[in-house]
Amino acid sequence: MAGGVVAGAALAAGCASRGRGNWDFLNDGQAHTLAAICDQIIPADDFPSASQAGAVTYIDRQLARHYRRHREAYRAGLEQAELLSRKLAGVSLSQAPQKSQFEVVTAIEKEQPAFFALVRSHTFESFYGNPRHGGNRDAVSWRMLGLDEPPVRGRAQYDFTKGAQS
Amino acid sequence: MKRILKICALAVVAVAALITSGMFGASYYYTTQHGAGCAGCHEMASYVSVVHSSAHQNATTCLDCHDASMATKLRHIAIHLSGRIPEAIRLRDVDVVAMTANCQKCHQKEYATWHAGPHSATYQQIFADSKHNSKRRLMDDCFRCHGMHYSGPVRELVQPQNITGPWHVVRAGFADQPTMPCQSCHWVHREGQPETKPSTRISVAAPALDDSLAFFDRREQMHFAAANLALPQLYEGARPVHASPDRRQALCYQCHASRMPEPSTIADTNHWGPQVGSGDDRTPLGVHEGLSCFSCHSGHNENARASCVTCHPQMSHCGLDVEKMDTTYANPASKHNVHWVKCVDCHTHGVPKPKVQRTAALAAGQ
């Protein structure tokens, strides 16, 4: 009974995924474009790239929660980025070779400075922020900086009954 | 009047039919399609996706582990409609408790060994222990290792908050529940492959690091994979201690952790690191230096009984029964902790030559 009632209620409430794939706000196409931009901002080296570290997950979650005010900027910005990529590289940004992606993202920086600054800022937040928000997967940037997370912290074997010297 | 009764009867039959079909329909909806029913809610989609690439990818349905009762699903809908969707969907402390029983359904051997050892200690055993509580105050940081899934402050779990007691677990339903359930050290929703039998029974390769091994950090409310946890360099005074590179130990170190030294001079401060044996650390020194925790202990229940025979029939220098030597292995009250025992602890006037000759292969270092 539970599931039937709930399933009906869920459908009535519009809970169906509506083709979003695994994303809360973005669609798959937007997510791929965003990943390509993020990876030009923080590319992979000895450590993962921004998207490998969860930048798109972070931005997507925030656009569905705390960053709702930036939704329109992302919709328009990603659409423009795709148009620019097709104009300069002839293919979708996510399918363009690395060199072309860099040129397209450089063009985005010049032609859409506000959008680029927003993505750059959010990419840094995702990469260096707390993993609990969806980015910095496995605390990769903190390990890159030499920080152990969680830290190894032993406790004092004190005896309260023996006073401060115990 | 008859007409009204007829309408009422039809309405009752219709509702009964709806409920009945709903029951079977719901059961079908959530127990088939390998989680697709649950992934219908887009908040759940990424979690279902991860499970499909995890060691549990062959589990039949989400309901093998998770509760899908009426109350639970209605709560999910209420959260969705309210718009207060958390950034990451987590199990509540009561859900974690319930899940431990579900783990048992398949992992019976592991559950039995865990249940037989100290890692299954209950909230009552840990937080109402008069021997501990009469010397040390309880604090929220206790939950870092004892009750990492507990969500409230310690004052809502145990009363009174003093060193005189008597202490009682006051949160209903928690006294007999384990403080370190399976999810304390295992990350179920983690990419990985189902465990398979090794191709060779004895391998010289490094010990395998189970994909699921991870520490649940209560502060961050998330797991950190054992492969990414720190293996600290420990010191005995100023001397760096040789420790096993076994990555699984990183999980142990999160709770069985050492403390920074308290050297008497500034110069010492610059050269000394975390000290072996301080805090709750049990890194081996002396005759056992370099061994992994797992050389002697079973991870699930800490049991080290009968572990000596793994090495000592060939390697004992003394020709004595090491299990009966004056160490904490034979007698917990011994002053010679088996983790740090050295030859000179007993042979205070010099260590004699070995009575048992090592085999040619061991002597050659093979």
Side-chain angles (χ1 to χ4, degrees), chain B residues 84-132:
Chain B
R84 295 192 301 273
I85 301 163
E87 283 187 29
I89 297 172
R90 306 276 177 226
L91 291 174
R92 300 170 303 163
D93 48 15
V94 290
D95 299 327
V96 171
V97 164
M99 264 202 66
T100 304
N102 292 336
C103 299
Q104 182 190 7
K105 288 179 195 168
C106 296
H107 302 281
Q108 294 182 7
K109 181 185 170 190
E110 290 80 5
Y111 183 90
T113 52
W114 165 81
H115 195 260
H119 281 158
S120 67
T122 63
Y123 283 93
Q124 175 74 27
Q125 289 170 319
I126 296 290
F127 288 95
D129 177 9
S130 57
K131 186 180 173 187
H132 173 280

Side-chain angles (χ1 to χ4, degrees), chain A residues 1-4 6 15-17 20 61 65 130 132-133 137-138 149-150 153-155 157-158 160-161, chain B residues 23 26 40 42 49 70 73 85-87 134-136 144 190-191 219-220 228 230 254 258-259 279-280:
Chain A
M1 180 176 74
V6 169
C15 283
S17 59
R20 283 179 181 163
R61 283 187 191 173
R65 294 170 180 82
N130 195 305
R132 70 162 68 178
H133 302 300
R137 185 183 163 93
D138 290 334
E149 183 64 24
R153 289 183 294 141
R155 68 188 173 112
Q157 301 280 9
Y158 69 89
F160 194 84
T161 57
Chain B
M23 285 175 68
H42 56 83
S49 174
M70 174 76 141
K73 302 310 287 181
I85 301 163
E87 283 187 29
S134 58
K135 293 180 180 175
R136 303 174 193 168
R144 181 158 57 93
R190 170 76 176 174
E191 292 95 337
R219 187 186 49 162
E220 301 292 356
N228 298 327
Q254 283 296 319
S258 58
R259 303 185 68 227
D280 289 304

Side-chain angles (χ1 to χ4, degrees), chain B residues 172-220:
Chain B
F174 268 73
D176 296 331
Q177 297 302 334
T179 52
M180 290 160 277
C182 310
Q183 290 90 339
S184 304
C185 300
H186 292 283
W187 189 353
V188 179
H189 280 241
R190 170 76 176 174
E191 292 95 337
Q193 291 301 314
E195 199 170 337
T196 55
K197 281 188 177 178
S199 54
T200 53
R201 284 181 62 84
I202 299 174
S203 170
V204 294
L209 189 59
D210 191 317
D211 292 323
S212 81
L213 276 183
F215 179 71
F216 186 80
D217 186 50
R218 183 174 184 265
R219 187 186 49 162
E220 301 292 356

Side-chain angles (χ1 to χ4, degrees), chain B residues 23-39:
Chain B
M23 285 175 68
F24 292 105
S27 185
Y28 181 79
Y29 183 73
Y30 287 113
T31 56
T32 57
Q33 302 176 62
H34 206 46
C38 300

Side-chain angles (χ1 to χ4, degrees), chain A residues 54-73:
Chain A
V56 181
T57 303
Y58 168 83
I59 294 171
D60 177 64
R61 283 187 191 173
Q62 302 314 318
L63 288 174
R65 294 170 180 82
H66 307 297
Y67 286 167
R68 288 190 176 100
R69 64 185 182 280
H70 296 308
R71 284 178 171 187
E72 194 46 48

